[in-house]
Amino acid sequence: MSQKPTDENKTPENNDELLIELPSLVKEGEESLEEVISERRSIRNYQDEPLTLKEVSQILWAAQGITDPASNFRAVPSAGALYPLSIYINASNVEGLDSGLYQYLVDDHKLSLKTENNLKDKIYNAALQQSSIKESGVTLIIAADYEITEARYDDRAERYVHMEAGHAGQNIYLQTTTLGLGTVAIGAFNDDEMKDILGIEKEPIYIFPVGKRMK
Ligand SMILES: Cc1cc2nc3c(=O)[nH]c(=O)nc-3n(C[C@H](O)[C@H](O)[C@H](O)COP(=O)(O)O)c2cc1C
């Protein structure tokens, strides 16, 4: 049951791109890192309650956001600081955000609408009908442009890109844990089908459905 974006956070920049401002970030938490690591689990069942845009904003920042504006270095390490990863989200139950597929614009901390179609059922089918996707309020897709890293690291690039996706995935786990949300890493899906559904050039490599944790 997503709502229309408010006038304040929805900016039609031009005919092709609809941008959504993301809420400001919180950089202090109540739990220690050790507590969050201890608490982290793969959670596959969620409450049927909407996520907030603030929660989505926070998770995207943890996955790939800029932590040092002077250098543009990000929350996760990257071989050669080349940053081959992109994050897409399919929103299906987020307060203040229309359903649809969006790309996270790292530099601006905004979302760019790719399609207003809610792709959840298709993503669910391409991911072997894993119920975590069906139950999620938002599904993050980490996609990679291998050529960015190959240009410098040749045949070591593939492993570097996958290592980076792991770093991003762990941050998604830890951030969702502190927010009282749940997620699970999904590596089992049909690559070609998923890429086709998302309509993207990059390779989808890792998927994280997110929802409110069961009480
Ligand atoms: C690379 C990778 C791929 C995974 N793929 C799936 C998946 O497709 N579906 C799923 O339910 N869990 C998947 N998992 C989650 C594991 O099943 C889970 O991490 C493991 O059971 C340990 O549980 P924990 O994460 O709660 O510690 C994946 C984990 C990793 C690291």
Side-chain angles (χ1 to χ4, degrees):
M1 283 38 54
S2 70
Q3 298 166 0
K4 292 261 166 231
T6 60
D7 288 343
E8 302 90 72
N9 69 9
K10 188 178 182 180
T11 326
E13 296 275 307
N14 56 49
N15 289 338
D16 301 316
E17 198 172 18
L18 183 87
L19 298 178
I20 310 289
E21 298 264 0
L22 288 168
S24 55
L25 299 159
V26 176
K27 297 193 180 162
E28 285 174 5
E30 284 169 15
E31 284 180 291
S32 69
L33 178 60
E34 293 79 2
E35 287 170 316
V36 182
I37 291 171
S38 303
E39 236 184 273
R40 184 211 64 82
R41 278 276 75 79
S42 292
I43 312 273
R44 299 177 178 83
N45 298 104
Y46 316 113
Q47 295 183 54
D48 186 19
E49 273 187 32
L51 300 170
T52 66
L53 197 53
K54 201 163 177 57
E55 288 166 338
V56 171
S57 166
Q58 201 68 34
I59 296 164
L60 288 168
W61 171 76
Q64 203 63 199
I66 290 179
T67 46
D68 178 12
S71 62
N72 270 356
F73 280 9
R74 303 186 186 179
V76 292
S78 174
L82 294 172
Y83 301 112
L85 302 181
S86 299
I87 314 278
Y88 295 83
I89 62 164
N90 186 73
S92 52
N93 195 6
V94 181
E95 268 173 25
L97 187 65
D98 278 346
S99 295
L101 184 75
Y102 299 83
Q103 184 175 1
Y104 177 46
L105 302 183
V106 171
D107 291 341
D108 302 324
H109 192 59
K110 288 182 182 172
L111 291 175
S112 169
L113 179 68
K114 296 287 144 202
T115 170
E116 288 173 337
N117 299 329
N118 179 3
L119 304 176
K120 179 150 94 170
D121 287 348
K122 289 182 174 170
I123 295 172
Y124 163 74
N125 283 326
L128 320 180
Q129 303 192 329
Q130 300 194 50
S131 60
S132 51
I133 292 177
K134 197 85 160 177
E135 293 188 21
S136 68
V138 73
T139 294
L140 282 79
I141 300 106
I142 300 179
D145 181 344
Y146 289 98
E147 288 180 8
I148 291 175
T149 303
E150 274 163 7
R152 186 173 317 170
Y153 295 111
D154 294 322
D155 57 0
R156 294 191 76 74
E158 189 177 6
R159 77 166 71 181
Y160 287 176
V161 169
H162 294 168
M163 288 169 179
E164 292 180 32
H167 290 297
Q170 185 70 3
N171 274 12
I172 293 169
Y173 264 114
L174 297 178
Q175 182 67 83
T176 53
T177 303
T178 62
L179 294 170
L181 307 174
T183 193
V184 55
I186 291 196
F189 56 85
N190 182 304
D191 295 335
D192 292 340
E193 213 182 309
M194 191 64 73
K195 190 173 172 182
D196 194 43
I197 289 164
L198 300 172
I200 59 177
E201 293 299 312
K202 294 159 200 154
E203 303 298 328
I205 52 177
Y206 221 1
I207 293 180
F208 292 82
V210 179
K212 297 261 188 222
R213 252 183 209 232
M214 293 289 190
K215 295 232 162 69

